[in-house]
């Protein structure tokens, strides 16, 4: 769960887990700056991320491929019809769109409240309480699947059973 938050909030939600080199932009697309290294140490190892393929490898160590496609790639990498992608490969290097803007991330997932809601074969649903700006928000439903010897996120971080007042979604 913490790795999923680092990926969503740090890599894709505008927080900027990577350092950008302002002197190295894509010609004609100055909003794209070359990535080099990490701004801070997180729960995910991004030190070898130099391309979109590398980025996807890191993401798919935490999320199932289908979930990554639906929740992240389609929103941030494959956005030809909806705007500029967040990341681009150019001349063998990875660049980030620095004009994309932050989207904020105020949700905290209270891991100590996690409970198994259901489990069948190699899949489980887990509920846990959340806060937004330190106020109770609702009960998140997280789906996980056991794939190739490890548990992976099989849902986004935005599926809720209850929201604020406890009413069913």
């Amino acid at each position: 769960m913490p790795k999923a938050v680092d990926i969503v909030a740090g890599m894709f939600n505008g927080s900027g887990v990577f350092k950008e080199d302002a002197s190295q932009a894509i010609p004609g697309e100055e909003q794209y700056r070359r990535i080099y290294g990490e701004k801070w140490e997180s729960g995910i190892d991004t030190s070898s991320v130099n391309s979109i393929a590398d980025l996807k490898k890191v993401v798919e160590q935490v999320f199932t491929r289908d979930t990554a496609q639906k929740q992240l790639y389609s929103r941030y990498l494959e956005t030809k019809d909806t705007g500029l992608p967040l990341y681009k490969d150019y001349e063998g290097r990875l660049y980030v769109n620095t004009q994309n803007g932050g989207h904020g991330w105020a949700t905290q997932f209270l891991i100590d409240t996690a409970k198994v809601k259901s489990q069948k074969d190699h899949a489980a649903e887990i509920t846990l309480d959340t806060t937004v700006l330190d106020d109770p928000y609702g009960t998140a439903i997280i789906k996980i699947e056991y794939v190739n010897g490890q548990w992976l996120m099989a849902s986004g971080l935005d599926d809720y059973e209850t929201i604020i007042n406890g009413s069913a979604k």
Side-chain angles (χ1 to χ4, degrees), residues 55-82:
L55 185 79
K56 287 181 175 183
K57 284 179 191 172
V58 169
V59 170
E60 291 170 19
Q61 291 174 3
V62 177
F63 288 89
T64 64
R65 183 172 289 142
D66 289 344
T67 301
Q69 176 61 42
K70 180 180 176 188
Q71 297 289 322
L72 302 169
Y73 306 157
S74 67
R75 295 178 182 177
Y76 297 98
L77 300 179
E78 302 157 2
T79 59
K80 293 177 187 102
D81 297 330
T82 59

Side-chain angles (χ1 to χ4, degrees), residues 32-73:
Y32 285 98
R33 296 189 179 153
R34 190 177 71 76
I35 287 174
Y36 71 99
E38 303 167 303
K39 280 186 183 174
W40 62 82
E41 194 172 312
S42 67
I44 52 175
D45 181 9
T46 59
S47 61
S48 63
V49 174
N50 294 306
S51 67
I52 288 178
D54 295 339
L55 185 79
K56 287 181 175 183
K57 284 179 191 172
V58 169
V59 170
E60 291 170 19
Q61 291 174 3
V62 177
F63 288 89
T64 64
R65 183 172 289 142
D66 289 344
T67 301
Q69 176 61 42
K70 180 180 176 188
Q71 297 289 322
L72 302 169
Y73 306 157

Side-chain angles (χ1 to χ4, degrees), residues 109-134:
F109 296 89
L110 306 178
I111 305 270
D112 59 335
T113 66
K115 295 179 181 131
V116 175
K117 181 177 180 178
S118 65
Q119 182 175 1
K120 184 177 180 185
D121 300 325
H122 296 288
E125 282 189 340
I126 297 171
T127 62
L128 66 155
D129 295 334
T130 63
T131 62
V132 172
L133 298 174
D134 297 324

